[in-house]
Structure formats: C-alpha cells, structure tokens
Amino acid sequence: MRARADRELLTPSDDPGRRVAIYHAGPGSPSAAALRLLAVAARGGTVTGPSPRT
C-alpha cells in the first residue's frame, strides 16, 4: 500500500531560516490509517483497532 499525504511548509515568524513540514491525510482515508500506524511504530508502540483499508 502506498500512502498519500499532503504537505504544508510553515516558516516561523521569529526564525525565517527554518521551516516546519506538516504531513496529513484525509480523515478516515486509508492513507490516514497508514500514517497513524507509522506514527505509532515510530514511538515503539502497537496499534489496536481496524486494519487500514486496501
């Protein structure tokens, strides 16, 4: 499965040399479920609940 995420780049007003990237997917989408699994795995945790739709 390939996740699709939108990206927003923000520049803090007090530090214009930095950028913050925010990735997000539509609520309830298979991509949102995949990003949730990735976030939990990155923290070393486990996910409970329904599997992502394919």
Short mmCIF file of all heavy atoms in Angstrom, two decimals:
data_model
loop_
_atom_site.label_atom_id
_atom_site.label_comp_id
_atom_site.label_asym_id
_atom_site.label_seq_id
_atom_site.Cartn_x
_atom_site.Cartn_y
_atom_site.Cartn_z
N MET A 1 0.84 -1.18 0.00
CA MET A 1 0.00 0.00 0.00
C MET A 1 0.89 1.24 0.00
O MET A 1 1.86 1.33 0.73
CB MET A 1 -0.89 0.00 1.23
CG MET A 1 -1.66 1.25 1.39
SD MET A 1 -2.55 1.25 2.96
CE MET A 1 -3.28 2.82 2.85
N ARG A 2 0.53 2.21 -0.77
CA ARG A 2 1.25 3.46 -0.82
C ARG A 2 0.36 4.55 -0.20
O ARG A 2 -0.77 4.73 -0.61
CB ARG A 2 1.58 3.83 -2.25
CG ARG A 2 2.37 5.10 -2.36
CD ARG A 2 2.75 5.36 -3.77
NE ARG A 2 3.85 4.44 -4.10
CZ ARG A 2 4.61 4.58 -5.16
NH1 ARG A 2 4.39 5.55 -6.00
NH2 ARG A 2 5.57 3.73 -5.39
N ALA A 3 0.89 5.23 0.80
CA ALA A 3 0.13 6.29 1.47
C ALA A 3 0.28 7.60 0.71
O ALA A 3 1.34 7.91 0.18
CB ALA A 3 0.61 6.47 2.90
N ARG A 4 -0.80 8.36 0.64
CA ARG A 4 -0.76 9.68 0.02
C ARG A 4 -0.96 10.71 1.12
O ARG A 4 -1.92 10.64 1.89
CB ARG A 4 -1.87 9.81 -1.00
CG ARG A 4 -1.94 11.21 -1.57
CD ARG A 4 -2.85 11.30 -2.75
NE ARG A 4 -3.20 12.58 -3.27
CZ ARG A 4 -2.61 13.74 -3.15
NH1 ARG A 4 -1.55 13.86 -2.43
NH2 ARG A 4 -3.06 14.84 -3.72
N ALA A 5 -0.05 11.66 1.20
CA ALA A 5 -0.14 12.70 2.23
C ALA A 5 0.08 14.06 1.59
O ALA A 5 0.86 14.21 0.65
CB ALA A 5 0.91 12.46 3.31
N ASP A 6 -0.65 15.03 2.08
CA ASP A 6 -0.44 16.41 1.68
C ASP A 6 0.60 17.02 2.61
O ASP A 6 0.72 16.63 3.77
CB ASP A 6 -1.75 17.20 1.76
CG ASP A 6 -2.78 16.68 0.77
OD1 ASP A 6 -2.40 16.40 -0.38
OD2 ASP A 6 -3.95 16.56 1.15
N ARG A 7 1.35 17.99 2.10
CA ARG A 7 2.39 18.61 2.90
C ARG A 7 2.17 20.12 2.93
O ARG A 7 1.84 20.74 1.93
CB ARG A 7 3.76 18.33 2.31
CG ARG A 7 4.90 18.96 3.10
CD ARG A 7 6.22 18.75 2.45
NE ARG A 7 6.31 19.61 1.29
CZ ARG A 7 7.36 19.70 0.50
NH1 ARG A 7 8.40 18.95 0.72
NH2 ARG A 7 7.36 20.51 -0.53
N GLU A 8 2.35 20.68 4.11
CA GLU A 8 2.33 22.13 4.29
C GLU A 8 3.67 22.54 4.87
O GLU A 8 4.17 21.90 5.80
CB GLU A 8 1.22 22.54 5.24
CG GLU A 8 -0.17 22.27 4.70
CD GLU A 8 -1.24 22.74 5.66
OE1 GLU A 8 -1.15 23.88 6.14
OE2 GLU A 8 -2.14 21.95 5.94
N LEU A 9 4.27 23.59 4.33
CA LEU A 9 5.51 24.13 4.88
C LEU A 9 5.21 25.43 5.58
O LEU A 9 4.60 26.34 5.01
CB LEU A 9 6.53 24.38 3.76
CG LEU A 9 7.18 23.15 3.16
CD1 LEU A 9 8.08 23.54 1.99
CD2 LEU A 9 7.99 22.41 4.20
N LEU A 10 5.62 25.52 6.82
CA LEU A 10 5.41 26.72 7.62
C LEU A 10 6.76 27.32 7.97
O LEU A 10 7.72 26.60 8.25
CB LEU A 10 4.65 26.39 8.90
CG LEU A 10 3.31 25.66 8.73
CD1 LEU A 10 2.75 25.28 10.08
CD2 LEU A 10 2.34 26.53 7.96
N THR A 11 6.84 28.64 7.96
CA THR A 11 8.06 29.34 8.35
C THR A 11 7.76 30.14 9.62
O THR A 11 6.91 31.04 9.59
CB THR A 11 8.50 30.30 7.23
OG1 THR A 11 8.69 29.56 6.04
CG2 THR A 11 9.80 30.99 7.60
N PRO A 12 8.41 29.82 10.73
CA PRO A 12 8.18 30.57 11.96
C PRO A 12 8.56 32.04 11.77
O PRO A 12 9.60 32.35 11.19
CB PRO A 12 9.10 29.91 12.98
CG PRO A 12 9.42 28.56 12.41
CD PRO A 12 9.37 28.73 10.93
N SER A 13 7.72 32.94 12.24
CA SER A 13 7.98 34.36 12.05
C SER A 13 9.22 34.83 12.80
O SER A 13 9.88 35.77 12.37
CB SER A 13 6.76 35.19 12.50
OG SER A 13 6.48 34.94 13.86
N ASP A 14 9.57 34.16 13.90
CA ASP A 14 10.74 34.58 14.66
C ASP A 14 12.04 33.93 14.18
O ASP A 14 13.11 34.24 14.66
CB ASP A 14 10.54 34.29 16.15
CG ASP A 14 10.35 32.81 16.44
OD1 ASP A 14 10.02 32.05 15.51
OD2 ASP A 14 10.53 32.41 17.60
N ASP A 15 11.94 33.01 13.19
CA ASP A 15 13.14 32.36 12.65
C ASP A 15 12.90 31.99 11.18
O ASP A 15 12.64 30.84 10.85
CB ASP A 15 13.47 31.12 13.47
CG ASP A 15 14.85 30.56 13.15
OD1 ASP A 15 15.49 31.04 12.18
OD2 ASP A 15 15.29 29.65 13.86
N PRO A 16 13.00 32.97 10.29
CA PRO A 16 12.68 32.72 8.88
C PRO A 16 13.63 31.75 8.18
O PRO A 16 13.35 31.31 7.08
CB PRO A 16 12.75 34.10 8.25
CG PRO A 16 13.53 34.95 9.18
CD PRO A 16 13.36 34.35 10.55
N GLY A 17 14.74 31.39 8.82
CA GLY A 17 15.66 30.43 8.24
C GLY A 17 15.24 28.99 8.44
O GLY A 17 15.85 28.07 7.90
N ARG A 18 14.19 28.76 9.21
CA ARG A 18 13.71 27.40 9.49
C ARG A 18 12.36 27.18 8.83
O ARG A 18 11.61 28.12 8.61
CB ARG A 18 13.57 27.17 10.98
CG ARG A 18 14.89 27.16 11.67
CD ARG A 18 14.70 26.79 13.13
NE ARG A 18 15.96 26.90 13.81
CZ ARG A 18 16.45 25.98 14.60
NH1 ARG A 18 15.75 24.89 14.83
NH2 ARG A 18 17.61 26.14 15.17
N ARG A 19 12.07 25.92 8.59
CA ARG A 19 10.76 25.55 8.07
C ARG A 19 10.27 24.33 8.83
O ARG A 19 11.04 23.47 9.24
CB ARG A 19 10.84 25.22 6.60
CG ARG A 19 11.09 26.44 5.76
CD ARG A 19 10.59 26.23 4.39
NE ARG A 19 10.75 27.48 3.65
CZ ARG A 19 10.97 27.54 2.38
NH1 ARG A 19 11.07 26.45 1.68
NH2 ARG A 19 11.08 28.70 1.79
N VAL A 20 8.98 24.27 9.01
CA VAL A 20 8.33 23.13 9.65
C VAL A 20 7.45 22.48 8.59
O VAL A 20 6.62 23.15 7.97
CB VAL A 20 7.48 23.58 10.86
CG1 VAL A 20 6.74 22.40 11.46
CG2 VAL A 20 8.34 24.29 11.89
N ALA A 21 7.64 21.18 8.39
CA ALA A 21 6.82 20.44 7.42
C ALA A 21 5.76 19.66 8.18
O ALA A 21 6.06 18.97 9.16
CB ALA A 21 7.67 19.50 6.60
N ILE A 22 4.52 19.79 7.73
CA ILE A 22 3.40 19.07 8.33
C ILE A 22 2.79 18.18 7.24
O ILE A 22 2.42 18.67 6.18
CB ILE A 22 2.33 20.03 8.88
CG1 ILE A 22 2.95 20.92 9.96
CG2 ILE A 22 1.13 19.26 9.41
CD1 ILE A 22 2.03 22.02 10.43
N TYR A 23 2.73 16.89 7.52
CA TYR A 23 2.13 15.94 6.58
C TYR A 23 0.79 15.48 7.15
O TYR A 23 0.67 15.20 8.32
CB TYR A 23 3.05 14.73 6.40
CG TYR A 23 4.34 15.08 5.71
CD1 TYR A 23 5.45 15.51 6.43
CD2 TYR A 23 4.43 14.98 4.32
CE1 TYR A 23 6.63 15.84 5.79
CE2 TYR A 23 5.62 15.32 3.68
CZ TYR A 23 6.71 15.74 4.41
OH TYR A 23 7.88 16.06 3.78
N HIS A 24 -0.22 15.43 6.28
CA HIS A 24 -1.54 15.00 6.73
C HIS A 24 -2.28 14.32 5.60
O HIS A 24 -1.97 14.52 4.42
CB HIS A 24 -2.34 16.19 7.30
CG HIS A 24 -2.49 17.31 6.33
ND1 HIS A 24 -3.55 17.41 5.47
CD2 HIS A 24 -1.70 18.38 6.08
CE1 HIS A 24 -3.42 18.50 4.73
NE2 HIS A 24 -2.30 19.11 5.08
N ALA A 25 -3.26 13.51 5.97
CA ALA A 25 -4.11 12.81 5.01
C ALA A 25 -5.55 13.03 5.41
O ALA A 25 -5.84 13.41 6.55
CB ALA A 25 -3.78 11.32 5.01
N GLY A 26 -6.46 12.80 4.50
CA GLY A 26 -7.88 12.99 4.76
C GLY A 26 -8.36 12.07 5.88
O GLY A 26 -7.98 10.90 5.92
N PRO A 27 -9.19 12.60 6.78
CA PRO A 27 -9.70 11.78 7.89
C PRO A 27 -10.43 10.53 7.38
O PRO A 27 -11.21 10.60 6.44
CB PRO A 27 -10.69 12.71 8.61
CG PRO A 27 -10.36 14.08 8.13
CD PRO A 27 -9.74 13.94 6.77
N GLY A 28 -10.13 9.40 8.00
CA GLY A 28 -10.80 8.15 7.65
C GLY A 28 -10.28 7.49 6.38
O GLY A 28 -10.75 6.42 6.02
N SER A 29 -9.31 8.10 5.71
CA SER A 29 -8.79 7.53 4.48
C SER A 29 -7.78 6.42 4.79
O SER A 29 -7.23 6.36 5.89
CB SER A 29 -8.11 8.62 3.64
OG SER A 29 -6.91 9.05 4.26
N PRO A 30 -7.53 5.55 3.82
CA PRO A 30 -6.50 4.54 4.02
C PRO A 30 -5.13 5.17 4.31
O PRO A 30 -4.35 4.62 5.10
CB PRO A 30 -6.48 3.77 2.70
CG PRO A 30 -7.84 3.97 2.12
CD PRO A 30 -8.25 5.35 2.55
N SER A 31 -4.86 6.30 3.70
CA SER A 31 -3.59 6.98 3.96
C SER A 31 -3.50 7.49 5.39
O SER A 31 -2.45 7.43 6.02
CB SER A 31 -3.40 8.14 2.98
OG SER A 31 -3.22 7.66 1.67
N ALA A 32 -4.60 7.97 5.94
CA ALA A 32 -4.61 8.43 7.34
C ALA A 32 -4.33 7.25 8.27
O ALA A 32 -3.57 7.38 9.23
CB ALA A 32 -5.95 9.08 7.68
N ALA A 33 -4.92 6.10 7.96
CA ALA A 33 -4.67 4.91 8.78
C ALA A 33 -3.19 4.49 8.69
O ALA A 33 -2.58 4.13 9.69
CB ALA A 33 -5.58 3.77 8.35
N ALA A 34 -2.62 4.56 7.49
CA ALA A 34 -1.23 4.18 7.31
C ALA A 34 -0.31 5.15 8.05
O ALA A 34 0.67 4.73 8.69
CB ALA A 34 -0.88 4.15 5.82
N LEU A 35 -0.59 6.45 8.01
CA LEU A 35 0.22 7.43 8.74
C LEU A 35 0.11 7.22 10.25
O LEU A 35 1.08 7.38 10.98
CB LEU A 35 -0.19 8.85 8.36
CG LEU A 35 0.22 9.30 6.96
CD1 LEU A 35 -0.36 10.68 6.66
CD2 LEU A 35 1.72 9.31 6.81
N ARG A 36 -1.07 6.83 10.71
CA ARG A 36 -1.26 6.55 12.13
C ARG A 36 -0.40 5.35 12.56
O ARG A 36 0.27 5.38 13.59
CB ARG A 36 -2.73 6.28 12.44
CG ARG A 36 -3.00 5.98 13.89
CD ARG A 36 -4.52 5.88 14.14
NE ARG A 36 -4.74 5.38 15.47
CZ ARG A 36 -5.12 4.13 15.74
NH1 ARG A 36 -5.38 3.29 14.78
NH2 ARG A 36 -5.29 3.75 16.99
N LEU A 37 -0.42 4.30 11.74
CA LEU A 37 0.41 3.13 12.04
C LEU A 37 1.89 3.51 12.06
O LEU A 37 2.65 3.06 12.93
CB LEU A 37 0.18 2.04 10.99
CG LEU A 37 -1.15 1.30 11.07
CD1 LEU A 37 -1.31 0.41 9.84
CD2 LEU A 37 -1.24 0.48 12.33
N LEU A 38 2.31 4.32 11.12
CA LEU A 38 3.71 4.75 11.07
C LEU A 38 4.09 5.55 12.31
O LEU A 38 5.15 5.34 12.89
CB LEU A 38 3.93 5.59 9.81
CG LEU A 38 5.34 6.11 9.58
CD1 LEU A 38 6.33 4.97 9.45
CD2 LEU A 38 5.37 7.00 8.35
N ALA A 39 3.21 6.44 12.74
CA ALA A 39 3.49 7.25 13.93
C ALA A 39 3.61 6.38 15.18
O ALA A 39 4.51 6.57 16.00
CB ALA A 39 2.39 8.29 14.12
N VAL A 40 2.73 5.41 15.32
CA VAL A 40 2.77 4.54 16.49
C VAL A 40 4.02 3.66 16.44
O VAL A 40 4.70 3.48 17.46
CB VAL A 40 1.49 3.69 16.58
CG1 VAL A 40 1.60 2.62 17.64
CG2 VAL A 40 0.29 4.58 16.86
N ALA A 41 4.34 3.14 15.27
CA ALA A 41 5.54 2.30 15.13
C ALA A 41 6.80 3.10 15.46
O ALA A 41 7.73 2.58 16.07
CB ALA A 41 5.62 1.71 13.73
N ALA A 42 6.83 4.36 15.05
CA ALA A 42 7.99 5.21 15.32
C ALA A 42 8.18 5.42 16.82
O ALA A 42 9.30 5.63 17.29
CB ALA A 42 7.84 6.55 14.61
N ARG A 43 7.09 5.37 17.58
CA ARG A 43 7.17 5.51 19.04
C ARG A 43 7.43 4.18 19.72
O ARG A 43 7.51 4.12 20.95
CB ARG A 43 5.88 6.12 19.58
CG ARG A 43 5.67 7.57 19.19
CD ARG A 43 4.52 8.19 19.97
NE ARG A 43 3.29 7.42 19.92
CZ ARG A 43 2.26 7.65 19.10
NH1 ARG A 43 2.32 8.62 18.24
NH2 ARG A 43 1.19 6.90 19.16
N GLY A 44 7.47 3.09 18.96
CA GLY A 44 7.71 1.77 19.54
C GLY A 44 6.47 1.14 20.13
O GLY A 44 6.56 0.19 20.89
N GLY A 45 5.29 1.64 19.76
CA GLY A 45 4.05 1.13 20.32
C GLY A 45 3.34 0.17 19.38
O GLY A 45 3.85 -0.19 18.33
N THR A 46 2.15 -0.25 19.80
CA THR A 46 1.32 -1.11 18.98
C THR A 46 -0.01 -0.42 18.73
O THR A 46 -0.46 0.42 19.51
CB THR A 46 1.06 -2.46 19.66
OG1 THR A 46 0.45 -2.22 20.94
CG2 THR A 46 2.35 -3.24 19.88
N VAL A 47 -0.64 -0.78 17.64
CA VAL A 47 -1.93 -0.19 17.26
C VAL A 47 -3.01 -1.21 17.44
O VAL A 47 -2.86 -2.37 17.07
CB VAL A 47 -1.89 0.26 15.78
CG1 VAL A 47 -3.24 0.78 15.34
CG2 VAL A 47 -0.83 1.31 15.57
N THR A 48 -4.14 -0.79 18.01
CA THR A 48 -5.30 -1.65 18.10
C THR A 48 -6.41 -1.01 17.29
O THR A 48 -6.41 0.19 17.04
CB THR A 48 -5.77 -1.82 19.56
OG1 THR A 48 -6.06 -0.54 20.09
CG2 THR A 48 -4.70 -2.47 20.40
N GLY A 49 -7.32 -1.81 16.84
CA GLY A 49 -8.42 -1.27 16.06
C GLY A 49 -8.42 -1.87 14.67
O GLY A 49 -7.65 -2.79 14.36
N PRO A 50 -9.30 -1.36 13.81
CA PRO A 50 -9.42 -1.93 12.47
C PRO A 50 -8.16 -1.72 11.64
O PRO A 50 -7.43 -0.76 11.83
CB PRO A 50 -10.61 -1.19 11.86
CG PRO A 50 -10.80 0.02 12.70
CD PRO A 50 -10.19 -0.27 14.05
N SER A 51 -7.92 -2.67 10.74
CA SER A 51 -6.80 -2.56 9.82
C SER A 51 -7.10 -1.51 8.76
O SER A 51 -8.26 -1.26 8.44
CB SER A 51 -6.56 -3.90 9.13
OG SER A 51 -6.24 -4.87 10.08
N PRO A 52 -6.06 -0.90 8.18
CA PRO A 52 -6.29 0.06 7.10
C PRO A 52 -6.95 -0.63 5.92
O PRO A 52 -6.67 -1.79 5.62
CB PRO A 52 -4.89 0.54 6.72
CG PRO A 52 -4.00 0.11 7.82
CD PRO A 52 -4.67 -1.03 8.52
N ARG A 53 -7.84 0.09 5.26
CA ARG A 53 -8.48 -0.46 4.06
C ARG A 53 -7.47 -0.49 2.93
O ARG A 53 -6.59 0.33 2.85
CB ARG A 53 -9.66 0.42 3.65
CG ARG A 53 -10.77 0.41 4.66
CD ARG A 53 -11.83 1.35 4.23
NE ARG A 53 -11.27 2.71 4.35
CZ ARG A 53 -11.97 3.81 4.28
NH1 ARG A 53 -13.25 3.77 4.07
NH2 ARG A 53 -11.41 4.99 4.40
N THR A 54 -7.63 -1.45 2.03
CA THR A 54 -6.73 -1.53 0.88
C THR A 54 -7.48 -1.25 -0.38
O THR A 54 -8.67 -1.23 -0.45
CB THR A 54 -6.06 -2.91 0.78
OG1 THR A 54 -7.08 -3.91 0.72
CG2 THR A 54 -5.15 -3.15 1.97
#
